[in-house]
Amino acid sequence: MAQVVVVTSGKGGVGKTTSSAAFATGLAQRGKKTVVIDFDVGLRNLDLIMGVERRVVFDIVNVISGEARLNQALIRDKRVETLSILPASQTRDKDALTKEGVQGIIEELSKDFDYILCDSPAGIEKGALLALYFADQAIVVTNPEVSSVRDSDRILGVLQSRSKRAEEKREPVKEHLLVTRFDPVRVERGEMLKLEDIREILSIPLLGVIPESESVLKASNTGTPVIMDGESTAGQAYADAVSRFLGEEKPHRFIEAEKKGIFKRLFGGRAA
């Protein structure tokens, strides 16, 4: 039976879709049959970040409305054999998503996949609630800033009260914390929240810390999940997070400010 994993946050712009693409790719690279679903109906960015925007013919709304079969809408990734993408619609309203329709898709996908990742829209509107409703696990993405952490705390409350597991009084959704756009130098200056403060507020296990990195933007612009850039700090951090997700012990990297030598102090230098 597939594990349904929602990638969610309270606030927009924290890197949910980047994280969904990276995680799905990382799981597939590890031999897990993985599908990632874009629930952001009306906007649709996952296909761009995955580099498959020109291959979209049908989408999740077409499947729910009976205009296409699921296997017609699924896009197989050309780089990683065990990875597939189910895009969102750009032209339809979020009300086109229904609980019954989403349930049917997840049940069908569960027959063939090990992991179903749901890339949630921000906040708690309909698309976001449907993305998290069927979740077995949740990756809560937050930036090290007060408003982002506060909104993530709100999402944790929704996960604990409005998921299918909560309704059925089953074991709760397993929660993981992913901190993105982390800059230890700015943390030292007091411009960002410390990791300890974020963990204290949210009180869920830390899955990974993704450093602020220009390679994330570059990867998004080229349609290549950043985890495939093994030279970048962000790519390495996502790979570590996937390993932890799969139960491996990995120390957290890129969370301390780098001690600069004289040349770096003189000439600067940013993370890759």
Side-chain angles (χ1 to χ4, degrees), residues 130-219:
L130 282 173
L132 67 80
Y133 181 73
F134 297 98
D136 299 305
Q137 302 193 55
I139 297 171
V140 180
V141 184
T142 190
N143 291 159
E145 53 189 57
V146 173
S147 62
S148 180
V149 174
R150 183 192 61 193
D151 289 348
S152 292
D153 197 31
R154 189 176 176 208
I155 282 293
L156 289 172
V158 175
L159 279 165
Q160 291 155 10
S161 61
R162 299 183 69 173
S163 67
K164 191 168 190 281
R165 283 176 168 266
E167 278 183 9
E168 296 175 353
K169 294 183 169 58
R170 288 191 286 145
E171 191 177 330
V173 175
K174 186 177 181 181
E175 297 156 343
H176 309 270
L177 174 62
L178 187 70
V179 180
T180 53
R181 305 195 68 177
F182 189 78
D183 185 339
V185 174
R186 293 185 66 194
V187 171
E188 280 191 353
R189 289 189 202 133
E191 296 170 8
M192 284 183 168
L193 288 176
K194 295 177 182 176
L195 270 180
E196 309 88 79
D197 295 336
I198 300 169
R199 296 179 74 172
E200 188 176 337
I201 295 165
L202 298 179
S203 299
I204 60 173
L206 180 64
L207 181 64
V209 180
I210 313 300
E212 180 76 271
S213 171
E214 292 171 358
S215 62
V216 173
L217 181 59
K218 180 183 172 186

Side-chain angles (χ1 to χ4, degrees), residues 73 111 121 149 221 263:
K111 298 171 188 173
V149 174
N221 287 339
F263 287 105

